[in-house]
Amino acid sequence: MTSESRPTFATPEQLLVLLDELGLESTTHDHAAVFTVEESKALRGDIPGAHCKNLFLRNKKGRMWLAVCPEGLRLDLKALGAAIGAGRLSFASAERLQQHLGVTPGSVTPFAVVNDREGNVPVVLVESLLEEELLNFHPLINSRTTTLSPEALLTFLRALDHEPKIVRDTEISRDD
């Protein structure tokens, strides 16, 4: 693929402008790059709100999903696949992540649907996130965290034609 035929993806700055244009109140914090929930816990300091993990998944037929859940949820991929009618799910490759959402591992975020212009990546939200006062996500890069309300997240997703599928924690979590 030549550089002329590669899709252009939104930058973090363009994303933040879009949030502002949509009238969504948010705050963005700069920090060292983090790649795991554990690294995030160590570096986030006093950023208020719930911190989330975001999983880019695929099924055997090659369909992609973006699952957004509380960072402490022990997700059962088999149960999630059944809950959303996807069948067996597994983690998608870094190449697919870049191709579909324009981000790299460690920067997976629901904000990346800004780059899914064809609407090929459905978003799955865990219901308990909607009960939080504030949510935190990387704004397309893992050296920043953007905080906004659950209502603002829903408004953002809907503005980009990505109505999320809401699943209950209890139907997709495991106890072990």
Side-chain angles (χ1 to χ4, degrees):
M1 182 181 287
T2 66
S3 60
E4 294 83 35
S5 62
R6 285 190 195 128
T8 355
F9 295 117
T11 66
E13 292 72 23
Q14 290 168 326
L15 170 69
L16 297 176
V17 167
L18 176 60
L19 291 175
D20 190 51
E21 288 173 350
L22 292 171
L24 304 177
E25 186 176 326
S26 67
T27 304
T28 299
H29 310 269
D30 293 319
H31 51 74
V34 293
F35 295 90
T36 66
V37 169
E38 289 72 30
E39 288 177 350
S40 176
K41 285 179 181 180
L43 288 176
R44 69 177 161 232
D46 295 325
I47 298 174
H51 293 268
C52 306
K53 63 182 170 186
N54 306 281
L55 308 171
F56 186 59
L57 306 167
R58 70 180 293 257
N59 68 4
K60 286 185 176 185
K61 295 180 182 179
R63 180 123 193 246
M64 306 296 155
W65 280 269
L66 177 60
V68 181
C69 52
E71 70 180 359
L73 180 73
R74 300 206 23 100
L75 184 66
D76 180 335
L77 287 181
K78 184 176 180 182
L80 176 61
I84 63 174
R88 185 173 176 199
L89 292 169
S90 61
F91 291 96
S93 68
E95 293 79 18
R96 287 175 199 241
L97 175 61
Q98 179 65 43
Q99 174 189 356
H100 289 278
L101 295 179
V103 295
T104 58
S107 299
V108 181
T109 172
F111 294 136
V113 300
V114 70
N115 293 321
D116 180 32
R117 294 173 188 95
E118 302 296 318
N120 293 324
V121 182
V123 176
V124 180
L125 287 179
V126 173
E127 185 177 50
S128 63
L129 292 176
L130 302 178
E131 299 165 6
E132 297 289 342
E133 185 177 334
L134 296 170
L135 300 173
N136 292 289
F137 303 104
H138 294 308
L140 308 177
I141 189 167
N142 63 353
S143 59
R144 291 180 175 171
T145 296
T146 296
T147 305
L148 75 171
S149 71
E151 297 78 20
L153 175 64
L154 289 172
T155 299
F156 171 81
L157 293 170
R158 290 171 177 151
L160 295 168
D161 296 322
H162 279 78
E163 180 67 36
K165 164 92 173 143
I166 309 295
V167 295
R168 290 188 313 274
D169 303 55
T170 54
E171 64 183 322
I172 61 160
S173 63
R174 58 182 191 185
D175 297 325
D176 59 16

